[in-house]
Amino acid sequence: MAAGAPVVPTARSGYEGDVSTSSDADPAVMWFRRDLRLADNPALVSASEAGPVLPLFVLDPALWGPSGVSRRWYLTESLRSLDASLRRRRTSLSVVRGKPERQVVLAAQAVDATRVFVAEDFGPYGRERDERVEEALDAAGIELVRVGSPYAVAPGTVVNGSGKNYQVFTPFSRAWADIGWEEPCAAPTGGSWLELDSTVEIPTVDLPDGLEPPAAGEAAAAQRWADFVDADVTDYDDERDRPDHDRTSRMSTHLKYGEIHPRTILADLAGSGGKGRTTYRTEIAWREFYADVLFRRPDSARDYYKPEFARMSYASPGDDFDAWREGRTGFPIVDAGMRQLAASGWMHNRLRMITASFLVKDLHVEWQHGARHFLGLLADGDLASNNHGWQWVAGSGTDASPYFRIFNPTTQGKKFDPRGDYIRRWVPELADVADPHDPSPDDRDRVDYPHPLVDHKAERQEALDRYAEIKQ
DNA sequence: CTGCGTTTGTA
DNA sequence: ACAAACGCA
């Protein structure tokens, strides 16, 4: 293709945007997925140094489905932000739709690229899809170059003395910290970029009333991180578990969309003591651990990490499941969490554990149903962290501890939301009852709040009995 | 081999 | 205190 010659997209190709090249020397396509972080991205540096590059962001249609309004909104804002950022670097955003493996090939052919740089990343749908991309590029005679690992520090590389991967968090986190990590990359310079003649119309998404979503984009991520380090990281150890105080870092969505690299966070935390900083690094280690586990066992995104759990008896998701999703189980802390999720696209991590435990241990519904519901609504919904968090709760994942992991929703509520402020905020009908954690039957009738869906003590025993059955 | 750890609940 | 299994050093 001659320099400057536009590629006219066709409806059939699914490629949106006219492309012209600023150079006709061996163009390449850089495939962005979640990785929007520019300054920090080794993949981007490698690609830009290798020649003219067409940055390509693949929009998966699944992200634009009927559920997940907040996540669609967040992606929209991310794209706007990325677009502005790329414009400053004299390039533009290209968006393709459809199956990634097909669209990457189409985009490469559109600029006559002979290489595609793919950030090494098993992506939001697992490693299998990356393998399909690899096959499609190979079939089209296009070279695939894997560069960097933007999602996590180094999934798949932490091993014990015998060369085996870890199945338990604590030894993993020690080995992971001992190995260490590289410094963040400098922003790419000197690369040349393919240019788009026009940019894509980025769709807008209407938000439900009352939703105050976080700012999106690389700059917003950096600002949020700086604010957190200044104000809240010192008390993070104690405060992170208090949904009523809401002093978690809120970095999860930025990390999920690659707007900040974990290496940047780790570098900023380095060299200073403080329990809060140590604890925050441990939380990053959990994210790294689950990235590592999913990298090794892509099947565990859907199937039980411990296969014997497939033999347990479960309830089909029915009316109970609907009550759980809609926040009307009659357990105030559970309902508060589920309503926060539905209304805001985010849920405090303590509540993720409580609500997940309730679905799996009290309602005996398989974790996959809950995980899918979470992924559809969470702006930060991440396949590895979400699904392995669910497996952890279900007892079927790493660090299985069935006897330790049946949360008492009432006790948890009183412990972590002692004054009931969190409940009152998200379950407003309980605002003036005497005990928002355990409203009396009369109070429930008076304010039209449901009676408990189940007897927790009985269902706890039922969960233990079902577990005992598969231990034979 | 042996001891340690495991974001908890119940008594 | 104890519930209890198991990966790990």
Side-chain angles (χ1 to χ4, degrees):
Chain A
M1 185 182 77
V7 171
V8 180
T10 66
R12 209 169 63 92
S13 76
Y15 188 83
E16 301 180 15
D18 298 337
V19 180
S20 65
T21 57
S22 56
S23 158
D24 54 3
D26 195 18
V29 168
M30 175 64 213
W31 180 19
F32 287 88
R33 296 179 70 169
R34 63 178 52 153
D35 179 37
L36 311 185
R37 176 70 174 170
L38 298 178
D40 223 13
N41 184 350
L44 192 68
V45 175
S46 313
S48 68
E49 284 170 353
V53 173
L54 173 67
L56 179 69
F57 191 88
V58 174
L59 270 190
D60 194 289
L63 290 171
W64 300 86
S67 66
V69 167
S70 62
R71 197 162 51 129
R72 295 206 305 281
W73 175 87
Y74 195 85
L75 187 58
T76 299
E77 292 303 302
S78 296
L79 289 172
R80 288 188 196 288
S81 164
L82 175 65
D83 191 42
S85 182
L86 290 171
R87 279 176 181 284
R88 287 197 296 275
R89 291 172 166 84
R90 296 199 325 109
T91 185
S92 293
L93 173 69
S94 50
V95 175
V96 292
R97 295 166 194 261
K99 289 183 178 176
E101 59 266 34
R102 182 166 165 270
Q103 297 302 338
V104 169
V105 171
L106 285 171
Q109 290 172 339
V111 296
D112 286 345
T114 56
R115 290 170 301 161
V116 171
F117 292 85
V118 176
E120 191 158 328
D121 175 4
F122 44 80
Y125 297 96
R127 210 166 62 193
E128 290 95 336
R129 182 161 290 186
D130 272 5
E131 286 163 4
R132 287 204 294 276
V133 168
E134 200 165 346
E135 287 167 14
L137 287 169
D138 189 51
I142 298 164
E143 184 189 3
L144 179 151
V145 184
R146 291 198 178 276
V147 276
S149 179
Y151 172 73
V153 168
T157 64
V158 180
V159 293
N160 65 18
S162 325
K164 302 249 299 180
N165 296 96
Y166 288 97
Q167 298 192 58
V168 172
F169 170 71
T170 307
F172 169 89
S173 66
R174 279 198 274 264
W176 170 80
D178 286 346
I179 291 169
W181 37 81
E182 295 175 28
E183 290 292 305
C185 293
T189 55
S192 58
W193 301 87
L194 305 181
E195 292 184 26
L196 296 180
D197 290 338
S198 62
T199 48
V200 173
E201 189 68 27
I202 298 173
T204 55
V205 176
D206 291 328
L207 289 176
D209 289 342
L211 177 56
E212 291 181 24
E218 188 177 356
Q223 185 62 54
R224 175 66 204 134
W225 172 239
D227 291 346
F228 175 70
V229 172
D230 280 349
D232 285 337
V233 75
T234 309
D235 298 329
Y236 183 74
D237 189 43
D238 297 324
E239 292 294 325
R240 76 201 156 106
D241 263 331
R242 290 293 295 272
D244 51 342
H245 292 176
D246 198 17
R247 287 178 60 187
T248 58
S249 73
R250 296 275 189 163
M251 293 303 293
S252 53
T253 314
H254 298 307
L255 282 164
K256 182 238 159 55
Y257 285 104
E259 294 165 352
I260 190 168
H261 197 286
R263 289 205 311 260
T264 299
I265 288 173
L266 292 164
D268 289 347
L269 291 173
S272 54
K275 208 155 167 46
R277 285 167 179 260
T278 306
T279 303
Y280 193 80
R281 196 169 68 177
T282 303
E283 298 305 317
I284 297 292
W286 275 103
R287 183 176 177 278
E288 296 281 327
F289 177 54
Y290 285 147
D292 183 81
V293 174
L294 186 59
F295 184 85
R296 287 185 288 112
R297 287 275 307 275
D299 62 295
S300 65
R302 294 190 63 86
D303 300 330
Y304 291 96
Y305 181 82
K306 292 188 188 304
E308 65 268 28
F309 276 76
R311 300 203 314 267
M312 201 147 82
S313 60
Y314 298 98
S316 302
D319 292 346
D320 286 359
F321 184 56
D322 291 340
W324 177 80
R325 284 192 293 193
E326 292 161 19
R328 44 180 180 81
T329 66
F331 288 83
I333 195 73
V334 173
D335 294 341
M338 296 308 293
R339 292 185 197 185
Q340 181 183 30
L341 172 63
S344 71
W346 187 84
M347 195 200 296
H348 190 282
N349 185 58
R350 172 59 47 184
L351 273 298
R352 298 190 197 193
M353 293 191 283
I354 296 171
T355 56
S357 176
F358 187 82
L359 183 71
V360 171
K361 301 292 170 66
D362 286 77
L363 301 183
H364 316 295
V365 173
E366 291 186 89
W367 68 265
Q368 292 91 336
H369 297 287
R372 191 174 302 125
H373 178 69
F374 272 29
L375 273 184
L377 289 174
L378 285 169
D380 65 18
D382 173 90
L383 189 76
S385 295
N386 182 68
N387 288 31
H388 277 286
W390 273 91
Q391 296 236 36
W392 180 91
V393 168
S396 62
T398 52
D399 287 322
S401 285
Y403 288 85
F404 290 178
R405 222 148 279 161
I406 300 175
F407 282 38
N408 182 321
T410 311
T411 315
Q412 286 275 320
K414 287 179 176 171
K415 185 172 177 186
F416 296 109
D417 179 29
R419 300 198 309 169
D421 293 342
Y422 178 82
I423 288 174
R424 286 193 196 88
R425 178 170 172 195
W426 294 106
V427 190
E429 64 263 41
L430 296 177
D432 66 346
V433 304
D435 183 359
H437 292 290
D438 192 13
S440 68
D442 285 349
D443 276 343
R444 289 172 192 259
D445 290 337
R446 178 171 60 83
V447 302
D448 196 23
Y449 179 74
H451 290 259
L453 195 61
V454 295
D455 174 2
H456 171 71
K457 192 174 179 183
E459 299 308 334
R460 172 182 184 274
Q461 191 55 51
E462 174 68 21
L464 290 173
D465 291 346
R466 292 184 187 211
Y467 175 73
E469 279 176 29
I470 65 167
K471 290 315 279 183
Q472 313 309 333

